[in-house]
Amino acid sequence: MNGPEIHLTFDSELHVFVPAGRRGGRTAVTTDGSSTLGHVVESLGVPLTEAGQLLVDGSPVDRSHIPSAGESVEVRAVARPQRVPGAPLRFLLDVHLGTLARRLRLLGVDAAYESEDIGDPALAALSAKERRVMLSRDRGLLRRREIWAGAYIYSDRTDDQLRDVLGRFAPALAPWTRCTACNGPLGAADKDSVEGLLEQGTQRTYDVFAQCTACGRVYWRGAHHARLAAIVDEALREFGGAAA
């Protein structure tokens, strides 16, 4: 590009996206004179889902701002908790985030998940159609213009991923109210009504059940309950909410 030269500084949280040479502070960028500041930021590797406030010479500007020569730009990370206006807060996760989807559902958070790779265009379209926040570790997916809203998942560890999403978006937590398999709502189930779906050992041992109103899956406090309860208790302690 052969146009106005500007200087950019990125918040440390965004350093994972930018080349090493731009992580130390203020660096020069030559623009083409017509691209928006949002385009310039994205061209340097930062998905716009992760860019928060943009400051030019200390004053906030919109992403549509056209940079002029000599401007000093500060790119801040998204403020937390991040508000997502315009629709109930709900999520869409890509094929690589199945465990995170189940953890969110365990906490009562609406988390749609595609267990097969339907492709970036279809995911972006689904995000827009259902007005869901797209969660992904795929930077290319998050750069698609069709996405209604999105967020990059920074860690590859499920525990850290969960804390990141809960801390960033502060969703209301209602544990044990959503099916971890299909995301449908759970309702109390009479033992007699689900007896035919249970193994004999389960029939003899347990008396309290819940059933998904969407897929029919039956839940009870089995061998894995203590581990799941620990996940729930930790989330409630750190991020609040009311146990269901």
Side-chain angles (χ1 to χ4, degrees):
M1 289 187 286
N2 185 21
E5 182 179 271
I6 62 175
H7 295 83
L8 285 92
T9 304
F10 294 92
D11 270 6
S12 59
E13 293 175 51
L14 302 177
H15 286 178
V16 65
F17 301 110
V18 298
R22 297 193 182 278
R23 298 173 187 171
R26 193 168 179 260
T27 60
V29 176
T30 301
T31 70
D32 61 10
S34 60
S35 294
T36 66
L37 183 55
H39 176 79
V40 173
V41 169
E42 197 169 51
S43 72
L44 295 174
V46 179
L48 290 183
T49 60
E50 307 312 298
Q53 192 175 47
L54 303 177
L55 302 179
V56 171
D57 297 330
S59 298
V61 299
D62 192 78
R63 294 174 180 180
S64 61
H65 171 78
I66 306 297
S68 299
E71 289 183 344
S72 180
V73 178
E74 180 183 349
V75 184
R76 292 183 174 175
V78 172
R80 297 184 177 219
Q82 180 181 352
R83 302 305 176 191
V84 184
L89 181 60
R90 50 190 184 177
F91 300 97
L92 172 64
L93 290 79
D94 69 19
V95 68
H96 304 293
L97 298 175
T99 303
L100 175 60
R102 290 187 288 274
R103 292 276 182 94
L104 289 169
R105 292 169 178 177
L106 175 66
L107 296 171
V109 178
D110 189 338
Y113 164 68
E114 293 296 330
S115 60
E116 296 182 1
D117 189 355
I118 63 175
D120 289 0
L123 281 170
L126 186 58
S127 167
K129 178 182 177 181
E130 298 188 359
R131 307 195 85 179
R132 291 180 178 272
V133 179
M134 184 78 241
L135 303 181
S136 179
R137 285 179 52 78
D138 183 343
R139 303 178 194 184
L141 170 58
L142 294 175
R143 293 178 66 172
R144 298 192 69 91
R145 293 292 181 261
E146 311 96 295
I147 287 178
W148 178 69
Y152 182 74
I153 300 300
Y154 287 79
S155 175
D156 58 3
R157 298 182 65 253
T158 306
D159 290 346
D160 294 337
Q161 292 173 349
L162 182 63
R163 294 184 73 258
D164 185 26
V165 173
L166 297 182
R168 176 165 174 171
F169 293 100
L173 304 184
W176 317 110
T177 63
R178 194 171 288 276
C179 178
T180 58
C182 82
N183 199 41
L186 297 182
D190 181 82
K191 184 174 182 178
D192 292 338
S193 68
V194 299
E195 192 169 17
L197 301 174
L198 306 175
E199 298 289 342
Q200 289 188 356
T202 303
Q203 294 178 23
R204 292 193 301 269
T205 308
Y206 301 98
D207 295 306
V208 179
F209 299 90
Q211 187 171 26
C212 177
T213 60
C215 73
R217 181 167 178 164
V218 180
Y219 291 84
W220 60 93
R221 295 190 174 189
H224 300 297
H225 181 76
R227 178 177 61 83
L228 298 177
I231 294 171
V232 168
D233 291 344
E234 183 177 354
L236 292 178
R237 278 196 304 270
E238 187 165 0
F239 301 101

